[in-house]
Amino acid sequence: MNRKTELRRREATDAAALPADLHPLLRRLYARRGIHQASELERGAKYLHPFQSLSGIQTAVAILQQALADNLCIMIVGDFDADGATSTALTVLALRSMGGQNVKYLVPNRFDDGYGLSPEVVEQAAARGAQLILTVDNGISSHAGVALANAKGIAVVVTDHHLPGDTLPDAAAIVNPNLNDCAFPSKSLAGVGVAFYLMLALRAQLRDSGVTTLPNLAELLDLVALGTVADVVPLDANNRILVWQGLSRIRAGKCRPGIRALLEIANRDARQLAASDLGFALGPRLNAAGRLDDMSVGVALLLSEDLGQARMLASELDALNQTRKEIEQGMQSEALALCDRLESSSEALPLGIAMYHPEWHQGVVGILASRLKERFHRPVIAFAPAGDGTLKGSGRSIAGLHMRDALERLDTLNPGLIIKFGGHAMAAGLSLEEANFERFRQCFAELVGDWLDAESLQGVVWSDGELMAQELTLATAELLREAGPWGQAFPEPTFDGKFKLLQQKLVGERHLKVMIEPLGGGPLLDGIAFNIDTALWPDPSVKQIELAYKLDVNEFRGNRTVQLIIDHLWAL
C-alpha cells in the first residue's frame, strides 16, 4: 500500500534584497519560500495590515457600537472547530471588556444543528433573547438562517473567512477578506483573525468616541495564534505576525488559563512552544469536543478565568481526544480494507476517492479523509450517516485540485445530487442523500480523472537540500525554531541526506528510533520516525538510509540535544 514518493528540492528565488547580516542558512530557506525583502520577515504587531481595508468593517462596527450603547443582547454564533471556538471566546471576551453587559454565545451542535447559522440555530438564539447575532468563522453561506433572523427582527453581522458563493446572505454587515470587493491584502485570515480585526476596529471607534477605559486586545493574541494554526490557513506575512505575537505571549506565561491547562495536559513546555505544538498538541484536543460531543466545552475552557476549572475541562477534552483517536483508528482500518479490496479487483484505485461506511462517525470523517489523502496522494471525501437518511462528507484535496470548485462543478453538472456544500481549496464539507452516494462516487471519480493527471498524483517530498555535517547541531536546531513561525504555505525546513544506520528499534507501537551518522562522516545523531509501517521497519539488513527530516530540539530531564524528526526514510 506504500505509494512511491519522489524527493525534490525547493528552488530558491533571488535573496539579494534580504538583510546581508541574516544567517546564510536562513537566507537560503527564506528565499526558497518566496521571501524577497526584509519587510516580509517583520514580526512586530505594528506591521499588521490595517483593518480599514476590510470591506464592511465600518458598518459592522457601527452596528456593534450601537448595540453596546443600547445594551442589546448580542449572541455570538461560532463554529464547532478550534477556529470557531477561539473566535467565539475572543469575541465574547473583547465585547464584555468593551462594556458589553449582555453578551452570550451559542455553539451549533454538529449532529443536531448542522454547520453555520442554520434556521435551527436562529430559533435557539431567539429563544435565548438574542437582539443581534454576530457570526464568527461561519455565516457566509447561511442564507436561510439570516433570512429567518431578519424575519424575527434580529439583525445579523457575519464575520467569516470561507469562500463566498455566487450570492451573499442578506446580513446587515459582512466582514470577510475573501469577498470580491474586499481590498484587504491578506486573504488567508482564519476566522479568529477576522474576529480579532473587527474587535480592533470597534476598539478604535470607541476610543475615537471618547471612551477612555478600553482593553488591551493584544492580550487575546494567544487565542488568535491557536485558532490560526489549528485551522491550517496559509501563514502569509500577516498571519505569521499574528501567530508570532500570540506564541510570544504564551511563551512568556501571558496566556489564558485554558491554554495553560491544555499545555499541561499535552505535556508541552510553554517556554519552548513552537507553532507546530499549537497544531499537533493543542488544536486536536480542542477540536475533539466539536467532533464527538459539544464544542461549548472548548469555549468554556477558553473563557475560564480559573486554572483549577480549566484543568478539569482540559482533562475532559483530553479524554475526548483519546476516544477520537480510537474511533479514527477503527475507521482507518476499515477504509484501508476497502481500498485493498478495490485494488485487488479489476478496478484501479480511482483518482478521486469517495468512501462511505454506515458505522463511521461523522465527527471524524475529516481526519479520516486527511489520512487517506496522505497515504494515497489523491483527493478523498469520506462520508458518515447523519441519521436522517442523509450522509455528511468531509473532503481533503491535493495541490492541483480545488475541492470547493470541484464540488461546485459537480453540483452544476448534476443538479440535486448534492444537498449543500462549502469550504476551501484543500478542504470542504457536503451532504447528500444516502441513496445518491454511489452516483456521487462515480461522478467525483470521473471529475477528478478529468481534472488531474498521473503526474499530479505523484507523492512529492520537498526538501531544502542537505545540511553539512557541521550544521547538524543544537545551535542550528535552535536557530530554525526561532526563525518561524512555520506552518501551512510557509513550511518548516525539511532536509535530506544519506546516513549510516547504526541502531534501530521500535518504541511505542509504531515509532522507529534510530542512531545514525552522515555517510561522509560527522556527528552521531538520534532520530525518530513516527507511525512507520511496521511491516518494513525495523529491518536489521538495512545499513544505510536516505532521509527527509526536520532538525529539532529534544528536551529530556533538563538536557537539550539535537534530534532528527524523520518524515520519510528509504533503504539504500
Side-chain angles (χ1 to χ4, degrees), residues 2 5 497-501 504 512 519 536-548 566 568-572:
N2 286 311
T5 51
K498 296 177 180 178
F499 299 85
K500 294 177 189 174
L501 182 54
Q504 52 179 313
L512 185 71
L519 276 189
L536 298 176
W537 301 98
D539 184 348
S541 69
V542 176
K543 303 302 180 187
Q544 295 184 353
I545 52 176
E546 184 172 19
L547 301 180
I566 300 168
H568 295 272
L569 70 163
W570 301 270
L572 291 177

PDB file of all heavy atoms in Angstrom, residues 2 5 497-501 504 512 519 536-548 566 568-572:
ATOM      1  N   ASN A   2       2.184   1.108   0.087  1.00  0.00           N
ATOM      2  CA  ASN A   2       3.029   2.292   0.108  1.00  0.00           C
ATOM      3  C   ASN A   2       3.133   2.888  -1.286  1.00  0.00           C
ATOM      4  O   ASN A   2       3.504   2.218  -2.231  1.00  0.00           O
ATOM      5  CB  ASN A   2       4.438   1.944   0.603  1.00  0.00           C
ATOM      6  CG  ASN A   2       4.434   1.698   2.088  1.00  0.00           C
ATOM      7  OD1 ASN A   2       3.901   2.491   2.825  1.00  0.00           O
ATOM      8  ND2 ASN A   2       4.992   0.575   2.505  1.00  0.00           N
ATOM      9  N   THR A   5       7.134   7.781  -3.409  1.00  0.00           N
ATOM     10  CA  THR A   5       7.304   9.199  -3.157  1.00  0.00           C
ATOM     11  C   THR A   5       8.611   9.651  -3.778  1.00  0.00           C
ATOM     12  O   THR A   5       9.609   8.943  -3.751  1.00  0.00           O
ATOM     13  CB  THR A   5       7.329   9.508  -1.646  1.00  0.00           C
ATOM     14  OG1 THR A   5       8.268   8.643  -1.012  1.00  0.00           O
ATOM     15  CG2 THR A   5       5.960   9.312  -1.038  1.00  0.00           C
ATOM     16  N   GLY A 497      19.341  13.712   3.291  1.00  0.00           N
ATOM     17  CA  GLY A 497      20.732  13.273   3.413  1.00  0.00           C
ATOM     18  C   GLY A 497      20.819  11.763   3.493  1.00  0.00           C
ATOM     19  O   GLY A 497      19.815  11.070   3.705  1.00  0.00           O
ATOM     20  N   LYS A 498      22.021  11.247   3.320  1.00  0.00           N
ATOM     21  CA  LYS A 498      22.275   9.805   3.393  1.00  0.00           C
ATOM     22  C   LYS A 498      23.117   9.507   4.627  1.00  0.00           C
ATOM     23  O   LYS A 498      24.083  10.228   4.912  1.00  0.00           O
ATOM     24  CB  LYS A 498      22.968   9.329   2.113  1.00  0.00           C
ATOM     25  CG  LYS A 498      22.084   9.517   0.881  1.00  0.00           C
ATOM     26  CD  LYS A 498      22.793   9.119  -0.418  1.00  0.00           C
ATOM     27  CE  LYS A 498      21.849   9.335  -1.604  1.00  0.00           C
ATOM     28  NZ  LYS A 498      22.496   9.000  -2.895  1.00  0.00           N
ATOM     29  N   PHE A 499      22.728   8.454   5.342  1.00  0.00           N
ATOM     30  CA  PHE A 499      23.319   8.185   6.641  1.00  0.00           C
ATOM     31  C   PHE A 499      23.601   6.696   6.810  1.00  0.00           C
ATOM     32  O   PHE A 499      22.929   5.847   6.220  1.00  0.00           O
ATOM     33  CB  PHE A 499      22.364   8.623   7.758  1.00  0.00           C
ATOM     34  CG  PHE A 499      22.043  10.091   7.763  1.00  0.00           C
ATOM     35  CD1 PHE A 499      21.018  10.603   6.973  1.00  0.00           C
ATOM     36  CD2 PHE A 499      22.760  10.956   8.567  1.00  0.00           C
ATOM     37  CE1 PHE A 499      20.720  11.946   6.983  1.00  0.00           C
ATOM     38  CE2 PHE A 499      22.466  12.314   8.583  1.00  0.00           C
ATOM     39  CZ  PHE A 499      21.448  12.818   7.791  1.00  0.00           C
ATOM     40  N   LYS A 500      24.582   6.405   7.651  1.00  0.00           N
ATOM     41  CA  LYS A 500      24.766   5.040   8.154  1.00  0.00           C
ATOM     42  C   LYS A 500      23.732   4.801   9.242  1.00  0.00           C
ATOM     43  O   LYS A 500      23.537   5.654  10.117  1.00  0.00           O
ATOM     44  CB  LYS A 500      26.171   4.873   8.760  1.00  0.00           C
ATOM     45  CG  LYS A 500      27.314   4.993   7.784  1.00  0.00           C
ATOM     46  CD  LYS A 500      28.642   4.888   8.537  1.00  0.00           C
ATOM     47  CE  LYS A 500      29.829   5.212   7.640  1.00  0.00           C
ATOM     48  NZ  LYS A 500      31.098   5.251   8.419  1.00  0.00           N
ATOM     49  N   LEU A 501      23.095   3.638   9.198  1.00  0.00           N
ATOM     50  CA  LEU A 501      22.095   3.279  10.204  1.00  0.00           C
ATOM     51  C   LEU A 501      22.774   2.399  11.242  1.00  0.00           C
ATOM     52  O   LEU A 501      23.043   1.224  11.012  1.00  0.00           O
ATOM     53  CB  LEU A 501      20.925   2.549   9.541  1.00  0.00           C
ATOM     54  CG  LEU A 501      19.763   2.128  10.440  1.00  0.00           C
ATOM     55  CD1 LEU A 501      19.205   3.308  11.230  1.00  0.00           C
ATOM     56  CD2 LEU A 501      18.660   1.484   9.614  1.00  0.00           C
ATOM     57  N   GLN A 504      18.556   0.715  15.392  1.00  0.00           N
ATOM     58  CA  GLN A 504      17.142   0.954  15.091  1.00  0.00           C
ATOM     59  C   GLN A 504      16.294   0.086  16.014  1.00  0.00           C
ATOM     60  O   GLN A 504      16.605  -1.072  16.252  1.00  0.00           O
ATOM     61  CB  GLN A 504      16.837   0.623  13.629  1.00  0.00           C
ATOM     62  CG  GLN A 504      17.282  -0.761  13.180  1.00  0.00           C
ATOM     63  CD  GLN A 504      16.932  -1.054  11.732  1.00  0.00           C
ATOM     64  OE1 GLN A 504      15.804  -0.815  11.295  1.00  0.00           O
ATOM     65  NE2 GLN A 504      17.891  -1.557  10.980  1.00  0.00           N
ATOM     66  N   LEU A 512       9.775   4.509  15.137  1.00  0.00           N
ATOM     67  CA  LEU A 512      11.110   3.942  14.938  1.00  0.00           C
ATOM     68  C   LEU A 512      12.160   4.917  15.448  1.00  0.00           C
ATOM     69  O   LEU A 512      12.261   6.045  14.956  1.00  0.00           O
ATOM     70  CB  LEU A 512      11.353   3.653  13.447  1.00  0.00           C
ATOM     71  CG  LEU A 512      12.667   2.956  13.109  1.00  0.00           C
ATOM     72  CD1 LEU A 512      12.634   1.497  13.583  1.00  0.00           C
ATOM     73  CD2 LEU A 512      12.961   3.023  11.610  1.00  0.00           C
ATOM     74  N   LEU A 519      26.925   9.738   6.002  1.00  0.00           N
ATOM     75  CA  LEU A 519      27.790   8.829   5.237  1.00  0.00           C
ATOM     76  C   LEU A 519      29.197   9.394   5.066  1.00  0.00           C
ATOM     77  O   LEU A 519      30.176   8.660   5.083  1.00  0.00           O
ATOM     78  CB  LEU A 519      27.182   8.555   3.847  1.00  0.00           C
ATOM     79  CG  LEU A 519      26.119   7.461   3.755  1.00  0.00           C
ATOM     80  CD1 LEU A 519      25.790   7.171   2.302  1.00  0.00           C
ATOM     81  CD2 LEU A 519      26.573   6.182   4.454  1.00  0.00           C
ATOM     82  N   LEU A 536       7.737  -2.990   7.356  1.00  0.00           N
ATOM     83  CA  LEU A 536       9.011  -2.660   6.704  1.00  0.00           C
ATOM     84  C   LEU A 536      10.122  -2.352   7.703  1.00  0.00           C
ATOM     85  O   LEU A 536      11.297  -2.606   7.415  1.00  0.00           O
ATOM     86  CB  LEU A 536       8.810  -1.451   5.781  1.00  0.00           C
ATOM     87  CG  LEU A 536       7.831  -1.623   4.610  1.00  0.00           C
ATOM     88  CD1 LEU A 536       7.681  -0.314   3.869  1.00  0.00           C
ATOM     89  CD2 LEU A 536       8.308  -2.722   3.666  1.00  0.00           C
ATOM     90  N   TRP A 537       9.754  -1.787   8.841  1.00  0.00           N
ATOM     91  CA  TRP A 537      10.757  -1.351   9.822  1.00  0.00           C
ATOM     92  C   TRP A 537      10.373  -1.859  11.198  1.00  0.00           C
ATOM     93  O   TRP A 537       9.198  -1.951  11.497  1.00  0.00           O
ATOM     94  CB  TRP A 537      10.861   0.183   9.844  1.00  0.00           C
ATOM     95  CG  TRP A 537      11.238   0.763   8.518  1.00  0.00           C
ATOM     96  CD1 TRP A 537      10.403   1.288   7.581  1.00  0.00           C
ATOM     97  CD2 TRP A 537      12.563   0.874   7.986  1.00  0.00           C
ATOM     98  NE1 TRP A 537      11.112   1.718   6.507  1.00  0.00           N
ATOM     99  CE2 TRP A 537      12.431   1.481   6.708  1.00  0.00           C
ATOM    100  CE3 TRP A 537      13.839   0.519   8.435  1.00  0.00           C
ATOM    101  CZ2 TRP A 537      13.534   1.748   5.898  1.00  0.00           C
ATOM    102  CZ3 TRP A 537      14.927   0.784   7.634  1.00  0.00           C
ATOM    103  CH2 TRP A 537      14.778   1.387   6.388  1.00  0.00           C
ATOM    104  N   PRO A 538      11.354  -2.184  12.066  1.00  0.00           N
ATOM    105  CA  PRO A 538      12.808  -2.165  11.828  1.00  0.00           C
ATOM    106  C   PRO A 538      13.226  -3.276  10.846  1.00  0.00           C
ATOM    107  O   PRO A 538      12.569  -4.305  10.752  1.00  0.00           O
ATOM    108  CB  PRO A 538      13.397  -2.455  13.221  1.00  0.00           C
ATOM    109  CG  PRO A 538      12.267  -2.300  14.187  1.00  0.00           C
ATOM    110  CD  PRO A 538      11.014  -2.565  13.435  1.00  0.00           C
ATOM    111  N   ASP A 539      14.364  -3.048  10.178  1.00  0.00           N
ATOM    112  CA  ASP A 539      14.914  -4.018   9.229  1.00  0.00           C
ATOM    113  C   ASP A 539      16.416  -4.139   9.475  1.00  0.00           C
ATOM    114  O   ASP A 539      17.195  -3.289   9.041  1.00  0.00           O
ATOM    115  CB  ASP A 539      14.647  -3.562   7.796  1.00  0.00           C
ATOM    116  CG  ASP A 539      15.103  -4.582   6.765  1.00  0.00           C
ATOM    117  OD1 ASP A 539      15.831  -5.527   7.146  1.00  0.00           O
ATOM    118  OD2 ASP A 539      14.745  -4.429   5.580  1.00  0.00           O
ATOM    119  N   PRO A 540      16.843  -5.183  10.198  1.00  0.00           N
ATOM    120  CA  PRO A 540      18.263  -5.332  10.556  1.00  0.00           C
ATOM    121  C   PRO A 540      19.189  -5.440   9.349  1.00  0.00           C
ATOM    122  O   PRO A 540      20.392  -5.191   9.466  1.00  0.00           O
ATOM    123  CB  PRO A 540      18.301  -6.639  11.369  1.00  0.00           C
ATOM    124  CG  PRO A 540      16.881  -6.856  11.814  1.00  0.00           C
ATOM    125  CD  PRO A 540      16.022  -6.277  10.751  1.00  0.00           C
ATOM    126  N   SER A 541      18.646  -5.794   8.174  1.00  0.00           N
ATOM    127  CA  SER A 541      19.506  -5.943   6.990  1.00  0.00           C
ATOM    128  C   SER A 541      19.900  -4.598   6.390  1.00  0.00           C
ATOM    129  O   SER A 541      20.826  -4.513   5.593  1.00  0.00           O
ATOM    130  CB  SER A 541      18.787  -6.788   5.929  1.00  0.00           C
ATOM    131  OG  SER A 541      17.681  -6.078   5.383  1.00  0.00           O
ATOM    132  N   VAL A 542      19.187  -3.534   6.754  1.00  0.00           N
ATOM    133  CA  VAL A 542      19.467  -2.213   6.175  1.00  0.00           C
ATOM    134  C   VAL A 542      20.565  -1.526   6.988  1.00  0.00           C
ATOM    135  O   VAL A 542      20.444  -1.359   8.201  1.00  0.00           O
ATOM    136  CB  VAL A 542      18.196  -1.335   6.152  1.00  0.00           C
ATOM    137  CG1 VAL A 542      18.535   0.064   5.635  1.00  0.00           C
ATOM    138  CG2 VAL A 542      17.120  -1.974   5.283  1.00  0.00           C
ATOM    139  N   LYS A 543      21.623  -1.125   6.310  1.00  0.00           N
ATOM    140  CA  LYS A 543      22.768  -0.476   6.979  1.00  0.00           C
ATOM    141  C   LYS A 543      22.929   0.986   6.578  1.00  0.00           C
ATOM    142  O   LYS A 543      23.630   1.739   7.245  1.00  0.00           O
ATOM    143  CB  LYS A 543      24.063  -1.234   6.656  1.00  0.00           C
ATOM    144  CG  LYS A 543      24.032  -2.728   7.033  1.00  0.00           C
ATOM    145  CD  LYS A 543      23.758  -2.931   8.515  1.00  0.00           C
ATOM    146  CE  LYS A 543      23.730  -4.408   8.884  1.00  0.00           C
ATOM    147  NZ  LYS A 543      23.306  -4.614  10.290  1.00  0.00           N
ATOM    148  N   GLN A 544      22.291   1.372   5.461  1.00  0.00           N
ATOM    149  CA  GLN A 544      22.386   2.756   5.009  1.00  0.00           C
ATOM    150  C   GLN A 544      20.990   3.221   4.583  1.00  0.00           C
ATOM    151  O   GLN A 544      20.218   2.462   3.987  1.00  0.00           O
ATOM    152  CB  GLN A 544      23.359   2.900   3.830  1.00  0.00           C
ATOM    153  CG  GLN A 544      24.797   2.582   4.191  1.00  0.00           C
ATOM    154  CD  GLN A 544      25.746   2.842   3.029  1.00  0.00           C
ATOM    155  OE1 GLN A 544      25.335   3.130   1.904  1.00  0.00           O
ATOM    156  NE2 GLN A 544      27.037   2.746   3.305  1.00  0.00           N
ATOM    157  N   ILE A 545      20.688   4.475   4.890  1.00  0.00           N
ATOM    158  CA  ILE A 545      19.366   5.013   4.568  1.00  0.00           C
ATOM    159  C   ILE A 545      19.473   6.427   4.023  1.00  0.00           C
ATOM    160  O   ILE A 545      20.444   7.149   4.276  1.00  0.00           O
ATOM    161  CB  ILE A 545      18.443   5.020   5.810  1.00  0.00           C
ATOM    162  CG1 ILE A 545      19.126   5.719   6.996  1.00  0.00           C
ATOM    163  CG2 ILE A 545      17.995   3.625   6.177  1.00  0.00           C
ATOM    164  CD1 ILE A 545      18.235   5.861   8.228  1.00  0.00           C
ATOM    165  N   GLU A 546      18.462   6.788   3.258  1.00  0.00           N
ATOM    166  CA  GLU A 546      18.287   8.176   2.845  1.00  0.00           C
ATOM    167  C   GLU A 546      17.090   8.730   3.597  1.00  0.00           C
ATOM    168  O   GLU A 546      16.063   8.057   3.715  1.00  0.00           O
ATOM    169  CB  GLU A 546      18.056   8.285   1.334  1.00  0.00           C
ATOM    170  CG  GLU A 546      17.958   9.725   0.854  1.00  0.00           C
ATOM    171  CD  GLU A 546      17.912   9.853  -0.660  1.00  0.00           C
ATOM    172  OE1 GLU A 546      17.601   8.846  -1.335  1.00  0.00           O
ATOM    173  OE2 GLU A 546      18.182  10.960  -1.164  1.00  0.00           O
ATOM    174  N   LEU A 547      17.225   9.945   4.121  1.00  0.00           N
ATOM    175  CA  LEU A 547      16.184  10.531   4.966  1.00  0.00           C
ATOM    176  C   LEU A 547      15.717  11.875   4.424  1.00  0.00           C
ATOM    177  O   LEU A 547      16.497  12.631   3.839  1.00  0.00           O
ATOM    178  CB  LEU A 547      16.700  10.762   6.393  1.00  0.00           C
ATOM    179  CG  LEU A 547      17.221   9.572   7.194  1.00  0.00           C
ATOM    180  CD1 LEU A 547      17.683  10.055   8.566  1.00  0.00           C
ATOM    181  CD2 LEU A 547      16.154   8.501   7.320  1.00  0.00           C
ATOM    182  N   ALA A 548      14.445  12.155   4.645  1.00  0.00           N
ATOM    183  CA  ALA A 548      13.935  13.521   4.615  1.00  0.00           C
ATOM    184  C   ALA A 548      13.549  13.823   6.056  1.00  0.00           C
ATOM    185  O   ALA A 548      12.784  13.071   6.667  1.00  0.00           O
ATOM    186  CB  ALA A 548      12.734  13.635   3.694  1.00  0.00           C
ATOM    187  N   ILE A 566      12.116  12.388  11.530  1.00  0.00           N
ATOM    188  CA  ILE A 566      12.198  11.797  10.195  1.00  0.00           C
ATOM    189  C   ILE A 566      10.809  11.735   9.565  1.00  0.00           C
ATOM    190  O   ILE A 566       9.896  11.094  10.087  1.00  0.00           O
ATOM    191  CB  ILE A 566      12.808  10.377  10.286  1.00  0.00           C
ATOM    192  CG1 ILE A 566      14.225  10.463  10.890  1.00  0.00           C
ATOM    193  CG2 ILE A 566      12.837   9.713   8.916  1.00  0.00           C
ATOM    194  CD1 ILE A 566      14.796   9.114  11.280  1.00  0.00           C
ATOM    195  N   HIS A 568      10.409  10.884   6.112  1.00  0.00           N
ATOM    196  CA  HIS A 568      10.444   9.762   5.164  1.00  0.00           C
ATOM    197  C   HIS A 568      11.819   9.105   5.250  1.00  0.00           C
ATOM    198  O   HIS A 568      12.828   9.795   5.433  1.00  0.00           O
ATOM    199  CB  HIS A 568      10.199  10.243   3.726  1.00  0.00           C
ATOM    200  CG  HIS A 568       8.832  10.815   3.516  1.00  0.00           C
ATOM    201  ND1 HIS A 568       7.747  10.057   3.169  1.00  0.00           N
ATOM    202  CD2 HIS A 568       8.380  12.089   3.633  1.00  0.00           C
ATOM    203  CE1 HIS A 568       6.687  10.829   3.072  1.00  0.00           C
ATOM    204  NE2 HIS A 568       7.043  12.072   3.354  1.00  0.00           N
ATOM    205  N   LEU A 569      11.848   7.786   5.109  1.00  0.00           N
ATOM    206  CA  LEU A 569      13.134   7.103   5.051  1.00  0.00           C
ATOM    207  C   LEU A 569      13.079   6.016   3.987  1.00  0.00           C
ATOM    208  O   LEU A 569      12.055   5.360   3.797  1.00  0.00           O
ATOM    209  CB  LEU A 569      13.544   6.531   6.405  1.00  0.00           C
ATOM    210  CG  LEU A 569      12.805   5.338   7.009  1.00  0.00           C
ATOM    211  CD1 LEU A 569      13.666   4.720   8.107  1.00  0.00           C
ATOM    212  CD2 LEU A 569      11.471   5.753   7.601  1.00  0.00           C
ATOM    213  N   TRP A 570      14.194   5.896   3.298  1.00  0.00           N
ATOM    214  CA  TRP A 570      14.323   4.916   2.233  1.00  0.00           C
ATOM    215  C   TRP A 570      15.592   4.104   2.465  1.00  0.00           C
ATOM    216  O   TRP A 570      16.645   4.671   2.800  1.00  0.00           O
ATOM    217  CB  TRP A 570      14.426   5.588   0.866  1.00  0.00           C
ATOM    218  CG  TRP A 570      13.268   6.455   0.490  1.00  0.00           C
ATOM    219  CD1 TRP A 570      12.138   6.083  -0.177  1.00  0.00           C
ATOM    220  CD2 TRP A 570      13.124   7.869   0.733  1.00  0.00           C
ATOM    221  NE1 TRP A 570      11.299   7.156  -0.364  1.00  0.00           N
ATOM    222  CE2 TRP A 570      11.884   8.267   0.189  1.00  0.00           C
ATOM    223  CE3 TRP A 570      13.921   8.835   1.367  1.00  0.00           C
ATOM    224  CZ2 TRP A 570      11.417   9.583   0.256  1.00  0.00           C
ATOM    225  CZ3 TRP A 570      13.466  10.141   1.424  1.00  0.00           C
ATOM    226  CH2 TRP A 570      12.223  10.499   0.879  1.00  0.00           C
ATOM    227  N   ALA A 571      15.513   2.799   2.300  1.00  0.00           N
ATOM    228  CA  ALA A 571      16.712   1.954   2.407  1.00  0.00           C
ATOM    229  C   ALA A 571      17.578   2.168   1.177  1.00  0.00           C
ATOM    230  O   ALA A 571      17.069   2.289   0.054  1.00  0.00           O
ATOM    231  CB  ALA A 571      16.303   0.491   2.523  1.00  0.00           C
ATOM    232  N   LEU A 572      18.890   2.226   1.384  1.00  0.00           N
ATOM    233  CA  LEU A 572      19.825   2.364   0.257  1.00  0.00           C
ATOM    234  C   LEU A 572      20.415   0.997  -0.102  1.00  0.00           C
ATOM    235  O   LEU A 572      20.627   0.157   0.770  1.00  0.00           O
ATOM    236  CB  LEU A 572      20.958   3.326   0.624  1.00  0.00           C
ATOM    237  CG  LEU A 572      20.551   4.799   0.774  1.00  0.00           C
ATOM    238  CD1 LEU A 572      21.751   5.630   1.217  1.00  0.00           C
ATOM    239  CD2 LEU A 572      20.007   5.342  -0.548  1.00  0.00           C
TER     240      LEU A 572
END
